[in-house]
């Protein structure tokens, strides 16, 4: 059986052995090459024979460098990163390391501005063997949608549009949360949970931040009951309360709140007054 040669994974974390020590740093066994970890990144007490978990990237002279710093993302990841500088070479993004991440001009979808954040894909360019980013995320997405209506998904909201908010779904697809479905503050770039509301014939995906149907209202009813029990069986909310106050306190839309208290009233579990609701 032919033996496979181990290789360092560029742009990812590697566990490598310390094989040499010099004044300016340590050299690690990179299998095919020795890889420098500068002294400023070396954990105190590290000695020859120890193994270090390090991130491998290339410096400005294309040499492999190891660091114990952790970037915001690694090769293969999507990331929401801020533009640090725009130069003749391209756009440079802050990804948490001393050396910024290059996004070549050819990988832009539109002109990018310093200080703004964008969703990008991090990958290794096959021609230059450098770690780079691309804002042309469509070419990194799955070709066919494998989702179901009502399914819970992980999303990264990343761009406001006239329709609502565009979001990356499960790192495979792009969807939209329409304005009518946004009843709470959304932080762009912050991973959150969402649900598939509709799968369109053109493969576009509509998202919602709430569980759909009966299950959602059932959860809202239980939330209200639990809050009542924690607040001496009363809450100062009714169908006239402002939607933002309801969300801040109960984490549900006013529409769902009204449906839930209507159901609880029919079940004779609460009463509704001008002052709010009370548990019976």
């Amino acid at each position: 059986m032919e033996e496979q040669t181990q290789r360092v994974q560029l742009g990812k974390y590697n566990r490598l052995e310390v094989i040499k020590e010099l004044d300016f740093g340590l050299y690690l066994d990179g299998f095919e090459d020795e890889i420098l970890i500068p002294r400023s990144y070396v954990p105190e007490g590290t000695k020859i024979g120890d193994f270090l978990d390090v991130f491998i990237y290339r410096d400005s002279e294309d040499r492999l460098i190891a660091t114990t710093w952790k970037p915001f993302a690694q090769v293969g990841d999507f990331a929401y990163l801020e533009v640090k500088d725009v130069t003749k070479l391209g756009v440079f993004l802050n990804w948490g390391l001393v050396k910024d991440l290059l996004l070549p001009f050819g990988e832009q979808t539109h002109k990018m501005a310093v200080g703004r954040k964008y969703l990008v894909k991090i990958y290794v360019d096959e021609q230059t063997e450098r770690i780079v980013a691309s804002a042309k995320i469509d070419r990194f997405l799955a070709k066919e949608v494998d989702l179901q209506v009502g399914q819970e998904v992980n999303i990264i909201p990343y761009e406001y549009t006239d329709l609502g908010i565009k979001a990356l779904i499960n790192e495979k697809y792009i969807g939209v949360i329409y304005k009518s479905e946004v009843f709470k503050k959304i932080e762009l770039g912050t991973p959150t949970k969402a649900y598939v509301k509709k799968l369109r014939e053109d493969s576009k995906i509509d998202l919602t931040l709430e569980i759909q149907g009966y299950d959602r209202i059932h959860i809202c009813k239980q939330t209200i009951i639990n809050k009542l029990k924690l607040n001496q069986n009363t809450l100062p909310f009714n169908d006239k309360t402002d939607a933002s106050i309801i969300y801040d306190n109960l984490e549900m839309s006013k529409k769902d709140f009204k449906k839930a208290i209507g159901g609880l009233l029919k079940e004779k579990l609460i009463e509704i007054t001008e002052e709010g609701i009370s548990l019976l």
Side-chain angles (χ1 to χ4, degrees):
M1 185 175 179
E2 193 172 316
E3 191 174 318
Q4 290 187 337
T5 303
Q6 277 189 291
R7 296 189 65 182
V8 165
Q9 290 186 296
L10 180 62
K12 295 191 175 185
Y13 298 99
N14 296 257
R15 188 169 179 80
L16 303 178
E17 184 181 2
V18 178
I19 57 174
K20 189 186 298 182
E21 182 173 5
L22 299 171
D23 291 340
F24 52 84
L26 305 177
Y27 276 99
L28 306 175
D29 182 5
F31 308 119
E32 295 177 343
D33 299 291
E34 295 178 349
I35 300 175
L36 174 68
I37 175 170
R39 178 63 64 182
S40 58
Y41 301 141
V42 178
E44 189 176 347
T46 302
K47 57 186 182 299
I48 293 175
D50 287 350
F51 283 83
L52 295 178
D53 293 313
V54 292
F55 184 81
I56 304 297
Y57 66 104
R58 291 188 184 277
D59 66 10
S60 55
E61 297 180 17
D62 276 348
R63 296 172 300 191
L64 291 178
I65 294 291
T67 178
T68 47
W69 283 19
K70 293 186 177 181
F72 301 143
Q74 59 181 332
V75 165
D77 291 343
F78 288 94
Y80 190 65
L81 302 178
E82 181 180 347
V83 174
K84 192 93 169 284
D85 195 12
V86 178
T87 72
K88 294 179 180 180
L89 295 175
V91 174
F92 284 90
L93 306 169
N94 176 17
W95 67 324
L97 297 181
V98 172
K99 185 189 177 190
D100 296 322
L101 178 64
L102 173 67
L103 189 149
F105 284 124
E107 295 299 326
Q108 292 187 68
T109 54
H110 55 271
K111 189 175 181 180
M112 302 171 82
V114 173
R116 290 196 59 186
K117 290 185 175 182
Y118 302 88
L119 184 70
V120 299
K121 174 77 172 186
I122 302 174
Y123 67 102
V124 175
D125 181 76
E126 292 183 358
Q127 292 184 336
T128 63
E129 293 189 351
R130 292 181 179 178
I131 305 168
V132 293
S134 174
K136 295 180 177 179
I137 59 177
D138 286 353
R139 64 188 177 95
F140 299 99
L141 302 175
K143 302 299 182 186
E144 296 183 6
V145 176
D146 184 19
L147 294 172
Q148 295 180 342
V149 172
Q151 181 177 338
E152 182 182 290
V153 291
N154 298 310
I155 67 167
I156 300 177
Y158 69 91
E159 184 180 332
Y160 289 108
T161 71
D162 292 338
L163 293 175
I165 302 173
K166 291 178 75 173
L168 177 69
I169 306 169
N170 290 352
E171 297 196 343
K172 290 183 178 181
Y173 321 105
I174 296 298
V176 174
I177 311 169
Y178 287 95
K179 289 179 180 178
S180 59
E181 296 290 338
V182 181
F183 58 88
K184 65 177 181 177
K185 186 177 180 181
I186 297 292
E187 293 285 346
L188 296 187
T190 301
T192 187
K193 298 285 185 184
Y195 302 89
V196 177
K197 185 175 184 181
K198 186 175 183 180
L199 297 172
R200 299 184 177 274
E201 291 182 4
D202 56 3
S203 296
K204 292 184 178 178
I205 304 165
D206 294 351
L207 297 168
T208 178
L209 300 173
E210 298 180 314
I211 298 173
Q212 298 297 288
Y214 171 80
D215 286 344
R216 184 178 84 247
I217 303 305
H218 177 74
I219 290 171
C220 291
K221 287 161 68 175
Q222 192 59 53
T223 298
I224 292 169
I225 292 293
N226 292 341
K227 284 283 187 179
L228 282 164
K229 290 179 178 179
L230 291 171
N231 289 274
Q232 298 181 331
N233 295 338
T234 62
L235 287 172
F237 316 129
N238 55 28
D239 56 6
K240 296 178 182 178
T241 304
D242 187 84
S244 62
I245 294 174
I246 289 172
Y247 180 77
D248 288 343
N249 289 273
L250 299 173
E251 295 189 345
M252 65 183 70
S253 66
K254 184 170 180 178
K255 180 180 177 182
D256 285 347
F257 172 75
K258 290 171 71 174
K259 285 183 179 180
I261 62 173
L264 292 171
L265 186 65
K266 285 182 180 179
E267 296 168 22
K268 298 182 179 180
L269 294 174
I270 65 167
E271 65 176 353
I272 303 174
T273 66
E274 288 293 323
E275 289 72 35
I277 57 178
S278 301
L279 188 65
L280 294 176

